[in-house]
Amino acid sequence: MPVEPLSQKEIEDRLAELPGWSLEGDRIARSYRLGSHFAATAMVVHIAQVQEELDHHSDLTLGYNTVSVTVNTHSVGGAVTELDLELAHRIEDLAPGHGAH
């Protein structure tokens, strides 16, 4: 099944299920604060593992004790799709295990 861009309303409705996530231009984004640089690095590795499982990759920025994620779907011209929201949900599920908030 081909991936289709979501409408603005669909994106806004789905982001309501993802506290902390927001629409920034043509992408959804979230930043997390963690207890240490090591914890942030471990979270980046865990996110990378999930991205490989989904075959869908975000932009990750690692700071001293922060991780920032931005994602859209390049294959549909950089729009937000269901794949992006699935990845966001998977990241939200793993974040507490790293002490992220």
Side-chain angles (χ1 to χ4, degrees):
M1 176 187 308
V3 178
E4 298 292 327
L6 297 174
S7 71
Q8 183 79 19
K9 172 90 169 93
E10 290 171 313
I11 295 166
E12 290 170 1
D13 290 347
R14 295 294 306 279
L15 286 177
E17 305 166 3
L18 291 163
W21 286 82
S22 61
L23 183 61
E24 295 182 3
D26 64 350
R27 342 178 132 250
I28 58 172
R30 166 113 200 243
S31 292
Y32 297 90
R33 182 167 301 281
L34 295 97
S36 68
H37 182 68
F38 186 81
T41 302
M43 184 169 166
V44 165
V45 171
H46 199 167
I47 292 170
Q49 180 182 26
V50 169
Q51 292 176 144
E52 286 297 307
E53 290 170 13
L54 295 175
D55 192 26
H56 189 61
H57 302 84
S58 66
D59 292 326
L60 296 170
T61 303
L62 173 64
Y64 168 70
N65 65 342
T66 59
V67 174
S68 296
V69 183
T70 60
V71 62
N72 63 8
T73 302
H74 300 284
S75 64
V76 294
V80 176
T81 68
E82 189 63 40
L83 280 173
D84 304 312
L85 292 160
E86 181 178 349
L87 178 57
H89 276 284
R90 294 278 302 270
I91 293 169
E92 282 298 298
D93 289 345
L94 68 83
H98 293 278
H101 58 279

